Amino acid sequence: MRFYSLNDRKHTSDFENAVVRGLAPDKGLYFPERIERLPDSFFDQLADLDKEEIALRVIRPYIGTEIPEDELLKIIKRSLDFDFPVVPLNENISVLELFHGPTMAFKDVGAGFMAGCLGYFIKKGNLGNVTVLVATSGDTGGAVAHGFLGVEGIDVVILYPKGKVSEVQEKQLTSPGRNISALEVEGTFDDCQAMVKKAFLDEAITTQRKLTSANSINLARWLPQMFYYFLAYQQLKVNAKPVFSVPSGNFGNICAGILANAMGLPVSHFVAANNRNDTVVDFMRTGKYKSRKSVQTISNAMDVGDPSNFVRVLEIFQQEFSQLKNKFSAYSYDDEATKKAIKEVFSEYDYLMDPHGAVGYLGLKDFLKDHPQYQGVFLETAHPVKFLETVEEVIGEKVPLPEEIKDLMTKQKKSLQIKTYEDLKGFLLDE
Ligand SMILES: *Cc1c(COP(=O)(O)O)cnc(C)c1O
Protein backbone atom coordinates (compact mmCIF):
# COMPACT_ATOMS: atom_id res chain seq x y z
CA MET A 1 0.00 0.00 0.00
CA ARG A 2 1.02 3.62 -0.47
CA PHE A 3 0.93 6.19 2.29
CA TYR A 4 0.43 9.89 1.70
CA SER A 5 1.61 12.90 3.66
CA LEU A 6 -1.09 14.70 5.62
CA ASN A 7 0.50 17.99 4.58
CA ASP A 8 0.30 17.29 0.88
CA ARG A 9 -1.31 14.23 -0.69
CA LYS A 10 1.13 14.38 -3.58
CA HIS A 11 3.96 13.09 -1.36
CA THR A 12 3.50 9.34 -1.23
CA SER A 13 5.67 6.48 -0.06
CA ASP A 14 5.73 2.73 0.32
CA PHE A 15 5.84 1.22 3.82
CA GLU A 16 9.62 0.71 3.98
CA ASN A 17 10.56 4.23 3.06
CA ALA A 18 7.89 5.68 5.36
CA VAL A 19 9.24 3.65 8.28
CA VAL A 20 12.84 4.60 7.60
CA ARG A 21 11.98 8.28 7.17
CA GLY A 22 9.42 8.60 9.97
CA LEU A 23 7.97 11.81 8.56
CA ALA A 24 7.32 12.71 4.91
CA PRO A 25 9.80 15.14 3.30
CA ASP A 26 7.27 17.96 3.84
CA LYS A 27 7.18 17.05 7.58
CA GLY A 28 3.66 15.64 7.28
CA LEU A 29 2.56 12.41 8.97
CA TYR A 30 2.04 9.42 6.71
CA PHE A 31 -1.48 8.06 6.34
CA PRO A 32 -2.68 4.95 4.44
CA GLU A 33 -4.30 5.75 1.11
CA ARG A 34 -7.02 3.19 1.75
CA ILE A 35 -8.52 1.89 4.99
CA GLU A 36 -9.18 -1.80 4.43
CA ARG A 37 -12.48 -3.22 5.66
CA LEU A 38 -12.08 -6.67 7.14
CA PRO A 39 -14.72 -9.15 5.90
CA ASP A 40 -17.61 -10.30 8.13
CA SER A 41 -16.16 -13.80 8.01
CA PHE A 42 -13.10 -12.53 9.91
CA PHE A 43 -15.27 -11.30 12.77
CA ASP A 44 -17.35 -14.50 12.73
CA GLN A 45 -14.16 -16.54 13.21
CA LEU A 46 -12.46 -14.13 15.58
CA ALA A 47 -13.20 -16.17 18.71
CA ASP A 48 -11.18 -19.08 17.31
CA LEU A 49 -8.17 -17.22 15.95
CA ASP A 50 -4.92 -16.90 17.88
CA LYS A 51 -3.40 -13.49 18.44
CA GLU A 52 -0.69 -13.81 15.78
CA GLU A 53 -3.28 -14.77 13.16
CA ILE A 54 -5.44 -11.79 14.11
CA ALA A 55 -2.50 -9.41 13.98
CA LEU A 56 -1.42 -10.73 10.60
CA ARG A 57 -4.89 -10.23 9.11
CA VAL A 58 -5.09 -6.71 10.51
CA ILE A 59 -1.67 -5.43 9.40
CA ARG A 60 -1.15 -7.37 6.17
CA PRO A 61 -3.08 -4.96 3.90
CA TYR A 62 -0.77 -2.10 4.90
CA ILE A 63 2.49 -3.97 4.40
CA GLY A 64 1.53 -5.99 1.34
CA THR A 65 4.49 -7.95 0.03
CA GLU A 66 7.14 -5.59 1.39
CA ILE A 67 7.80 -8.04 4.21
CA PRO A 68 7.27 -11.74 3.39
CA GLU A 69 4.65 -13.49 5.47
CA ASP A 70 7.01 -15.74 7.45
CA GLU A 71 9.18 -12.75 8.41
CA LEU A 72 6.13 -10.67 9.28
CA LEU A 73 4.84 -13.45 11.52
CA LYS A 74 8.19 -13.57 13.32
CA ILE A 75 7.99 -9.80 13.92
CA ILE A 76 4.40 -10.10 15.17
CA LYS A 77 5.27 -12.99 17.50
CA ARG A 78 8.07 -10.99 19.08
CA SER A 79 6.00 -7.88 19.58
CA LEU A 80 2.99 -9.74 21.06
CA ASP A 81 4.91 -12.15 23.26
CA PHE A 82 2.84 -11.49 26.40
CA ASP A 83 -0.77 -11.34 27.57
CA PHE A 84 -3.46 -8.69 26.99
CA PRO A 85 -6.10 -9.58 29.58
CA VAL A 86 -9.40 -7.76 29.97
CA VAL A 87 -10.14 -7.64 33.70
CA PRO A 88 -13.68 -6.73 34.84
CA LEU A 89 -14.01 -4.24 37.71
CA ASN A 90 -17.79 -4.32 37.79
CA GLU A 91 -20.82 -5.00 35.56
CA ASN A 92 -19.93 -2.45 32.91
CA ILE A 93 -16.35 -1.36 33.49
CA SER A 94 -13.34 -3.49 32.52
CA VAL A 95 -9.62 -2.81 32.24
CA LEU A 96 -7.56 -3.79 29.23
CA GLU A 97 -4.12 -4.43 30.75
CA LEU A 98 -1.37 -3.44 28.35
CA PHE A 99 1.53 -3.68 30.81
CA HIS A 100 2.56 -7.31 30.66
CA GLY A 101 5.40 -6.67 28.24
CA PRO A 102 9.13 -6.38 28.98
CA THR A 103 9.09 -2.69 30.02
CA MET A 104 5.56 -2.75 31.41
CA ALA A 105 3.89 -0.22 29.14
CA PHE A 106 1.86 -0.54 25.94
CA LYS A 107 4.72 0.99 23.95
CA ASP A 108 6.45 -2.41 24.00
CA VAL A 109 4.14 -3.55 21.20
CA GLY A 110 4.90 -0.69 18.82
CA ALA A 111 8.60 -0.50 19.68
CA GLY A 112 9.06 -4.24 19.23
CA PHE A 113 7.21 -4.19 15.92
CA MET A 114 9.16 -1.24 14.61
CA ALA A 115 12.49 -2.81 15.63
CA GLY A 116 11.48 -5.96 13.77
CA CYS A 117 10.54 -4.08 10.59
CA LEU A 118 13.65 -1.89 10.57
CA GLY A 119 15.85 -4.90 11.36
CA TYR A 120 14.32 -6.74 8.41
CA PHE A 121 14.82 -3.82 6.00
CA ILE A 122 18.46 -3.49 7.07
CA LYS A 123 19.15 -7.21 6.73
CA LYS A 124 17.55 -7.28 3.31
CA GLY A 125 19.57 -4.67 1.66
CA ASN A 126 20.97 -1.37 0.89
CA LEU A 127 20.09 0.76 3.88
CA GLY A 128 23.42 0.33 5.63
CA ASN A 129 23.67 1.03 9.34
CA VAL A 130 21.01 3.18 10.95
CA THR A 131 21.01 5.28 14.11
CA VAL A 132 17.72 5.56 15.92
CA LEU A 133 17.69 8.88 17.74
CA VAL A 134 14.86 9.44 20.17
CA ALA A 135 13.86 11.76 22.99
CA THR A 136 11.78 10.35 25.83
CA SER A 137 9.72 11.70 28.70
CA GLY A 138 9.86 8.23 30.26
CA ASP A 139 8.18 5.22 28.71
CA THR A 140 9.35 5.45 25.10
CA GLY A 141 13.01 5.16 26.13
CA GLY A 142 12.69 1.81 27.86
CA ALA A 143 10.43 0.31 25.21
CA VAL A 144 12.76 1.40 22.39
CA ALA A 145 15.87 0.24 24.27
CA HIS A 146 14.36 -3.16 24.84
CA GLY A 147 12.82 -3.49 21.39
CA PHE A 148 16.02 -2.60 19.52
CA LEU A 149 18.51 -4.29 21.86
CA GLY A 150 20.88 -6.44 19.82
CA VAL A 151 19.21 -5.71 16.47
CA GLU A 152 21.93 -5.99 13.85
CA GLY A 153 22.84 -2.77 12.03
CA ILE A 154 21.07 -0.41 14.44
CA ASP A 155 22.51 1.93 17.04
CA VAL A 156 20.08 3.57 19.42
CA VAL A 157 20.68 6.91 21.11
CA ILE A 158 18.13 7.94 23.75
CA LEU A 159 17.93 11.43 25.25
CA TYR A 160 16.10 11.81 28.54
CA PRO A 161 15.69 14.72 30.97
CA LYS A 162 17.84 14.29 34.07
CA GLY A 163 15.83 13.78 37.23
CA LYS A 164 12.47 13.91 35.44
CA VAL A 165 11.79 10.24 34.75
CA SER A 166 10.87 7.67 37.38
CA GLU A 167 13.54 5.39 38.84
CA VAL A 168 12.20 2.31 37.08
CA GLN A 169 12.00 4.16 33.78
CA GLU A 170 15.60 5.37 34.14
CA LYS A 171 16.94 1.88 34.85
CA GLN A 172 15.05 0.47 31.89
CA LEU A 173 16.70 2.81 29.44
CA THR A 174 20.19 3.12 30.97
CA SER A 175 20.95 -0.49 31.85
CA PRO A 176 20.71 -2.40 28.53
CA GLY A 177 24.08 -1.24 27.09
CA ARG A 178 25.36 -2.93 23.88
CA ASN A 179 23.88 -1.00 20.93
CA ILE A 180 21.86 1.29 23.23
CA SER A 181 23.31 4.60 24.50
CA ALA A 182 21.53 6.77 27.04
CA LEU A 183 22.25 10.50 27.19
CA GLU A 184 21.13 12.24 30.36
CA VAL A 185 20.29 15.80 29.46
CA GLU A 186 20.46 18.68 31.87
CA GLY A 187 17.08 20.14 30.91
CA THR A 188 13.47 19.27 30.22
CA PHE A 189 11.84 16.82 27.81
CA ASP A 190 11.22 19.73 25.45
CA ASP A 191 14.98 20.45 25.43
CA CYS A 192 15.69 16.81 24.54
CA GLN A 193 13.11 16.95 21.78
CA ALA A 194 14.58 20.19 20.41
CA MET A 195 18.09 18.68 20.29
CA VAL A 196 16.81 15.64 18.41
CA LYS A 197 14.99 17.81 15.89
CA LYS A 198 18.11 19.91 15.34
CA ALA A 199 20.27 16.84 14.77
CA PHE A 200 17.91 15.64 12.02
CA LEU A 201 18.51 18.91 10.16
CA ASP A 202 22.27 19.03 10.75
CA GLU A 203 24.10 18.00 7.60
CA ALA A 204 27.40 17.54 9.40
CA ILE A 205 25.66 14.65 11.16
CA THR A 206 23.33 13.35 8.47
CA THR A 207 26.09 13.00 5.89
CA GLN A 208 27.91 10.67 8.30
CA ARG A 209 25.07 8.76 9.88
CA LYS A 210 21.68 7.64 8.66
CA LEU A 211 19.32 8.95 11.33
CA THR A 212 15.81 7.76 11.99
CA SER A 213 13.35 8.37 14.77
CA ALA A 214 11.33 5.88 16.78
CA ASN A 215 8.67 8.16 18.19
CA SER A 216 4.97 7.46 18.02
CA ILE A 217 4.35 9.13 14.68
CA ASN A 218 6.22 6.32 12.90
CA LEU A 219 3.84 4.03 11.00
CA ALA A 220 5.59 0.96 12.36
CA ARG A 221 4.77 2.05 15.89
CA TRP A 222 1.30 3.37 15.18
CA LEU A 223 -0.31 0.56 13.12
CA PRO A 224 0.47 -2.42 15.42
CA GLN A 225 -1.30 -0.63 18.26
CA MET A 226 -4.51 -1.76 16.56
CA PHE A 227 -3.80 -5.37 17.54
CA TYR A 228 -4.86 -5.20 21.15
CA TYR A 229 -8.21 -3.55 20.42
CA PHE A 230 -9.07 -6.73 18.49
CA LEU A 231 -7.66 -8.88 21.29
CA ALA A 232 -9.81 -7.00 23.81
CA TYR A 233 -12.92 -7.37 21.65
CA GLN A 234 -12.27 -11.10 21.42
CA GLN A 235 -12.53 -11.37 25.21
CA LEU A 236 -15.80 -9.45 25.59
CA LYS A 237 -19.32 -10.82 25.56
CA VAL A 238 -20.62 -11.94 22.17
CA ASN A 239 -22.06 -8.96 20.29
CA ALA A 240 -20.64 -6.42 22.69
CA LYS A 241 -20.06 -3.05 21.11
CA PRO A 242 -17.76 -1.49 23.66
CA VAL A 243 -16.75 2.04 24.54
CA PHE A 244 -12.96 2.39 24.78
CA SER A 245 -11.47 5.03 27.03
CA VAL A 246 -7.83 5.74 26.24
CA PRO A 247 -5.47 7.80 28.40
CA SER A 248 -4.00 10.01 25.71
CA GLY A 249 -0.92 12.16 25.24
CA ASN A 250 0.26 12.16 21.66
CA PHE A 251 -2.98 10.42 20.57
CA GLY A 252 -1.24 7.54 18.76
CA ASN A 253 -2.84 4.84 20.85
CA ILE A 254 -6.42 6.08 20.57
CA CYS A 255 -5.94 6.80 16.90
CA ALA A 256 -4.97 3.15 16.33
CA GLY A 257 -8.24 2.13 18.01
CA ILE A 258 -10.19 4.45 15.76
CA LEU A 259 -8.45 2.97 12.72
CA ALA A 260 -9.36 -0.53 13.95
CA ASN A 261 -12.97 0.63 14.14
CA ALA A 262 -12.77 2.02 10.59
CA MET A 263 -11.56 -1.45 9.50
CA GLY A 264 -14.77 -2.91 10.91
CA LEU A 265 -14.12 -3.57 14.61
CA PRO A 266 -17.42 -2.89 16.41
CA VAL A 267 -16.94 0.02 18.82
CA SER A 268 -19.67 2.36 20.08
CA HIS A 269 -17.55 5.27 21.14
CA PHE A 270 -14.03 6.45 21.94
CA VAL A 271 -13.18 8.55 24.96
CA ALA A 272 -9.89 10.43 24.95
CA ALA A 273 -8.92 10.90 28.59
CA ASN A 274 -6.45 13.70 29.20
CA ASN A 275 -4.64 15.18 32.15
CA ARG A 276 -4.38 18.98 32.35
CA ASN A 277 -2.81 18.98 28.92
CA ASP A 278 -6.24 19.27 27.35
CA THR A 279 -5.73 20.84 23.93
CA VAL A 280 -8.15 18.35 22.38
CA VAL A 281 -10.83 18.87 25.03
CA ASP A 282 -10.76 22.54 24.08
CA PHE A 283 -10.90 21.68 20.40
CA MET A 284 -14.00 19.53 20.91
CA ARG A 285 -15.67 22.41 22.71
CA THR A 286 -14.73 25.22 20.36
CA GLY A 287 -13.92 23.55 17.04
CA LYS A 288 -10.64 25.48 17.01
CA TYR A 289 -7.30 23.76 17.46
CA LYS A 290 -4.84 25.74 19.57
CA SER A 291 -1.60 24.04 20.61
CA ARG A 292 -0.13 24.92 23.99
CA LYS A 293 3.00 24.48 26.04
CA SER A 294 2.85 21.28 28.04
CA VAL A 295 2.44 21.34 31.81
CA GLN A 296 3.90 18.76 34.17
CA THR A 297 1.57 16.22 35.82
CA ILE A 298 1.79 12.88 37.64
CA SER A 299 0.78 11.12 34.40
CA ASN A 300 3.92 12.39 32.68
CA ALA A 301 3.70 10.29 29.52
CA MET A 302 0.63 12.35 28.63
CA ASP A 303 2.19 15.78 29.15
CA VAL A 304 1.79 16.82 25.54
CA GLY A 305 0.48 20.23 24.53
CA ASP A 306 0.36 19.66 20.78
CA PRO A 307 -0.55 16.02 20.14
CA SER A 308 1.02 14.96 16.83
CA ASN A 309 -1.34 12.16 15.98
CA PHE A 310 -4.55 14.14 16.31
CA VAL A 311 -4.34 15.07 12.61
CA ARG A 312 -4.60 11.36 11.87
CA VAL A 313 -7.75 11.12 13.99
CA LEU A 314 -9.28 13.96 11.97
CA GLU A 315 -8.27 12.30 8.71
CA ILE A 316 -10.04 9.04 9.63
CA PHE A 317 -13.20 11.12 10.09
CA GLN A 318 -12.49 12.84 6.77
CA GLN A 319 -12.02 16.17 8.55
CA GLU A 320 -15.77 16.24 9.38
CA PHE A 321 -16.35 17.64 12.84
CA SER A 322 -19.89 16.24 13.01
CA GLN A 323 -18.69 12.69 12.24
CA LEU A 324 -15.95 13.03 14.83
CA LYS A 325 -18.40 14.18 17.51
CA ASN A 326 -20.62 11.13 16.98
CA LYS A 327 -17.86 8.73 17.79
CA PHE A 328 -15.38 10.60 19.96
CA SER A 329 -15.39 12.61 23.20
CA ALA A 330 -12.60 14.10 25.27
CA TYR A 331 -12.38 14.81 28.99
CA SER A 332 -9.62 16.11 31.22
CA TYR A 333 -8.69 15.63 34.88
CA ASP A 334 -6.18 17.23 37.19
CA ASP A 335 -3.73 15.42 39.49
CA GLU A 336 -6.06 15.65 42.48
CA ALA A 337 -8.88 13.88 40.64
CA THR A 338 -6.41 11.29 39.35
CA LYS A 339 -5.13 10.50 42.84
CA LYS A 340 -8.64 10.30 44.17
CA ALA A 341 -9.54 7.80 41.46
CA ILE A 342 -6.52 5.60 42.27
CA LYS A 343 -7.57 5.57 45.91
CA GLU A 344 -11.24 4.94 45.17
CA VAL A 345 -10.64 2.00 42.80
CA PHE A 346 -8.07 0.51 45.16
CA SER A 347 -10.44 0.50 48.10
CA GLU A 348 -13.59 -0.37 46.16
CA TYR A 349 -12.24 -3.09 43.84
CA ASP A 350 -8.83 -3.88 45.32
CA TYR A 351 -7.35 -2.91 41.95
CA LEU A 352 -4.29 -0.67 41.71
CA MET A 353 -4.20 1.68 38.71
CA ASP A 354 -1.24 3.71 37.56
CA PRO A 355 -1.76 7.49 37.13
CA HIS A 356 -2.35 7.14 33.36
CA GLY A 357 -4.87 4.33 33.60
CA ALA A 358 -6.60 6.29 36.35
CA VAL A 359 -7.26 9.16 33.94
CA GLY A 360 -8.72 6.61 31.51
CA TYR A 361 -10.96 5.24 34.25
CA LEU A 362 -12.26 8.73 35.04
CA GLY A 363 -13.04 9.43 31.39
CA LEU A 364 -14.94 6.18 31.06
CA LYS A 365 -16.93 6.75 34.23
CA ASP A 366 -18.00 10.21 33.11
CA PHE A 367 -19.04 8.98 29.69
CA LEU A 368 -21.01 6.05 31.11
CA LYS A 369 -22.89 8.39 33.43
CA ASP A 370 -24.79 9.67 30.39
CA HIS A 371 -24.67 6.39 28.46
CA PRO A 372 -25.25 3.61 31.00
CA GLN A 373 -26.27 1.10 28.33
CA TYR A 374 -22.71 0.53 27.13
CA GLN A 375 -19.99 -1.93 28.04
CA GLY A 376 -16.90 0.15 28.90
CA VAL A 377 -13.22 -0.72 28.67
CA PHE A 378 -10.40 1.57 29.74
CA LEU A 379 -6.80 0.97 28.77
CA GLU A 380 -4.28 0.51 31.57
CA THR A 381 -1.24 1.73 29.67
CA ALA A 382 1.48 1.06 32.27
CA HIS A 383 2.06 -1.04 35.36
CA PRO A 384 1.61 0.95 38.60
CA VAL A 385 5.11 0.04 39.85
CA LYS A 386 6.55 2.20 37.08
CA PHE A 387 5.18 5.10 39.12
CA LEU A 388 5.90 3.64 42.53
CA GLU A 389 6.59 6.90 44.37
CA THR A 390 3.21 8.33 43.33
CA VAL A 391 1.00 5.32 43.88
CA GLU A 392 2.50 4.37 47.25
CA GLU A 393 1.95 7.87 48.49
CA VAL A 394 -1.66 7.86 47.30
CA ILE A 395 -2.73 4.55 48.79
CA GLY A 396 -0.53 4.96 51.87
CA GLU A 397 1.01 1.51 51.68
CA LYS A 398 3.94 -0.32 50.13
CA VAL A 399 3.38 -1.98 46.78
CA PRO A 400 5.06 -5.37 46.34
CA LEU A 401 7.63 -5.32 43.53
CA PRO A 402 7.49 -7.94 40.79
CA GLU A 403 10.67 -10.05 40.49
CA GLU A 404 11.68 -8.46 37.17
CA ILE A 405 11.67 -5.03 38.78
CA LYS A 406 13.75 -6.13 41.75
CA ASP A 407 16.17 -7.58 39.28
CA LEU A 408 16.17 -4.43 37.18
CA MET A 409 16.95 -2.24 40.19
CA THR A 410 20.21 -4.14 40.80
CA LYS A 411 21.45 -3.40 37.28
CA GLN A 412 23.94 -0.67 36.66
CA LYS A 413 22.95 2.66 35.19
CA LYS A 414 25.12 3.61 32.21
CA SER A 415 24.59 7.10 30.89
CA LEU A 416 26.49 10.04 29.55
CA GLN A 417 25.63 13.47 30.95
CA ILE A 418 25.21 16.21 28.38
CA LYS A 419 24.20 19.86 28.51
CA THR A 420 24.17 21.39 25.07
CA TYR A 421 23.41 20.51 21.48
CA GLU A 422 27.17 20.59 20.79
CA ASP A 423 27.60 17.76 23.31
CA LEU A 424 25.10 15.66 21.39
CA LYS A 425 26.72 16.49 18.08
CA GLY A 426 30.13 15.58 19.42
CA PHE A 427 28.79 12.26 20.63
CA LEU A 428 27.16 11.41 17.30
CA LEU A 429 30.23 12.35 15.27
CA ASP A 430 32.74 10.63 17.55
CA GLU A 431 31.21 7.25 17.86
C1 LIG B 1 2.91 7.06 25.97
C2 LIG B 1 1.92 6.81 27.05
C3 LIG B 1 0.60 7.30 26.99
C4 LIG B 1 0.13 8.18 25.87
O1 LIG B 1 -0.07 7.47 24.68
P1 LIG B 1 -0.27 8.28 23.30
O2 LIG B 1 -0.27 7.23 22.25
O3 LIG B 1 0.92 9.20 23.18
O4 LIG B 1 -1.55 9.02 23.40
C5 LIG B 1 -0.28 6.98 28.01
N1 LIG B 1 0.12 6.23 29.07
C6 LIG B 1 1.38 5.74 29.17
C7 LIG B 1 1.74 4.95 30.36
C8 LIG B 1 2.32 6.00 28.17
O5 LIG B 1 3.56 5.53 28.30
Side-chain angles (χ1 to χ4, degrees):
M1 184 176 297
R2 306 287 298 173
F3 299 87
Y4 60 87
S5 162
L6 286 179
N7 281 355
D8 180 351
R9 273 180 173 259
K10 285 202 294 292
H11 280 288
T12 69
S13 170
D14 59 10
F15 181 72
E16 172 172 347
N17 183 50
V19 170
V20 174
R21 292 196 61 98
L23 282 174
D26 63 1
K27 308 275 177 257
L29 271 70
Y30 283 114
F31 193 86
E33 68 177 5
R34 268 176 301 112
I35 296 178
E36 289 280 330
R37 271 208 83 92
L38 291 158
D40 290 346
S41 60
F42 170 77
F43 291 99
D44 295 340
Q45 298 158 5
L46 196 66
D48 303 318
L49 298 178
D50 62 28
K51 59 185 176 188
E52 287 84 12
E53 181 73 32
I54 293 171
L56 187 66
R57 294 285 298 274
V58 169
I59 201 100
R60 175 97 264 171
Y62 302 101
I63 297 181
T65 53
E66 289 185 60
I67 301 177
E69 188 146 315
D70 56 331
E71 291 286 342
L72 186 55
L73 255 176
K74 266 193 244 163
I75 296 171
I76 287 172
K77 277 212 166 83
R78 248 197 55 191
S79 55
L80 292 182
D81 188 23
F82 41 90
D83 293 331
F84 298 85
V86 174
V87 178
L89 288 190
N90 63 26
E91 270 290 284
N92 48 10
I93 297 185
S94 307
V95 195
L96 168 59
E97 293 185 348
L98 299 177
F99 56 70
H100 295 278
T103 71
M104 301 181 153
F106 76 90
K107 293 186 174 77
D108 281 325
V109 175
F113 192 85
M114 182 180 168
C117 292
L118 205 54
Y120 171 77
F121 292 137
I122 287 173
K123 198 167 64 184
K124 182 186 79 154
N126 28 32
L127 268 182
N129 278 21
V130 170
T131 301
V132 171
L133 182 62
V134 69
T136 183
S137 61
D139 279 339
T140 297
V144 167
H146 189 278
F148 285 83
L149 183 64
V151 179
E152 202 71 36
I154 301 182
D155 290 309
V156 176
V157 180
I158 301 167
L159 279 72
Y160 74 99
K162 182 182 162 87
K164 295 196 176 61
V165 303
S166 82
E167 228 180 306
V168 172
Q169 288 173 328
E170 182 170 45
K171 279 280 162 118
Q172 284 176 337
L173 67 98
T174 55
S175 67
R178 291 167 69 187
N179 60 329
I180 315 292
S181 308
L183 303 185
E184 190 173 357
V185 178
E186 198 134 323
T188 62
F189 168 67
D190 290 335
D191 298 329
C192 299
Q193 185 83 25
M195 284 191 195
V196 166
K197 283 196 174 147
K198 201 164 167 185
F200 275 94
L201 299 173
D202 190 335
E203 281 187 13
I205 296 170
T206 56
T207 48
Q208 284 203 25
R209 274 179 177 248
K210 185 161 205 137
L211 290 186
T212 187
S213 166
N215 62 21
S216 72
I217 49 111
N218 198 296
L219 283 179
R221 274 193 60 187
W222 176 46
L223 295 173
Q225 297 180 131
M226 283 193 287
F227 298 161
Y228 39 74
Y229 289 91
F230 288 87
L231 300 180
Y233 180 75
Q234 196 188 26
Q235 296 171 66
L236 298 175
K237 283 202 285 282
V238 183
N239 292 331
K241 205 176 166 205
V243 173
F244 282 109
S245 175
V246 186
S248 295
N250 226 350
F251 280 67
N253 208 12
I254 194 167
C255 187
I258 295 170
L259 185 63
N261 176 234
M263 290 180 76
L265 184 74
V267 180
S268 295
H269 203 80
F270 287 93
V271 175
N274 286 147
N275 60 28
R276 281 209 301 124
N277 295 279
D278 55 358
T279 305
V280 170
V281 177
D282 261 3
F283 171 78
M284 295 307 290
R285 202 171 42 228
T286 63
K288 288 197 187 69
Y289 186 91
K290 276 224 294 276
S291 71
R292 293 205 231 115
K293 255 186 106 79
S294 62
V295 293
Q296 209 174 339
T297 73
I298 56 169
S299 44
N300 65 0
M302 310 191 326
D303 295 350
V304 181
D306 186 9
S308 319
N309 282 293
F310 193 62
V311 288
R312 282 182 171 144
V313 173
L314 294 175
E315 187 72 2
I316 300 175
F317 291 105
Q318 294 157 335
Q319 313 287 338
E320 292 277 346
F321 195 61
S322 57
Q323 281 192 40
L324 174 70
K325 268 198 139 148
N326 279 334
K327 200 83 211 196
F328 176 95
S329 308
Y331 299 88
S332 89
Y333 304 93
D334 63 16
D335 284 353
E336 282 319 303
T338 308
K339 289 180 184 172
K340 207 166 145 241
I342 294 175
K343 225 174 173 154
E344 173 186 305
V345 168
F346 187 66
S347 67
E348 206 162 318
Y349 305 109
D350 201 20
Y351 189 91
L352 183 59
M353 303 184 294
D354 96 294
H356 304 78
V359 173
Y361 165 80
L362 284 168
L364 184 59
K365 232 177 74 165
D366 272 342
F367 183 79
L368 291 180
K369 236 183 254 159
D370 300 328
H371 308 83
Q373 71 275 30
Y374 291 125
Q375 170 80 38
V377 179
F378 70 94
L379 276 54
E380 179 44 299
T381 44
H383 194 292
V385 300
K386 287 195 93 166
F387 306 93
L388 199 62
E389 300 90 341
T390 307
V391 294
E392 284 187 340
E393 188 205 301
V394 170
I395 61 169
E397 50 183 278
K398 285 273 170 208
V399 176
L401 292 185
E403 283 307 315
E404 313 94 275
I405 296 287
K406 283 190 202 154
D407 201 44
L408 178 73
M409 294 326 250
T410 65
K411 297 210 170 123
Q412 210 192 333
K413 162 180 162 182
K414 280 160 279 178
S415 71
L416 186 76
Q417 308 240 1
I418 68 166
K419 272 202 185 114
T420 63
Y421 175 71
E422 291 310 314
D423 296 341
L424 172 65
K425 187 167 177 170
F427 176 82
L428 290 173
L429 293 177
D430 259 11
E431 270 240 307

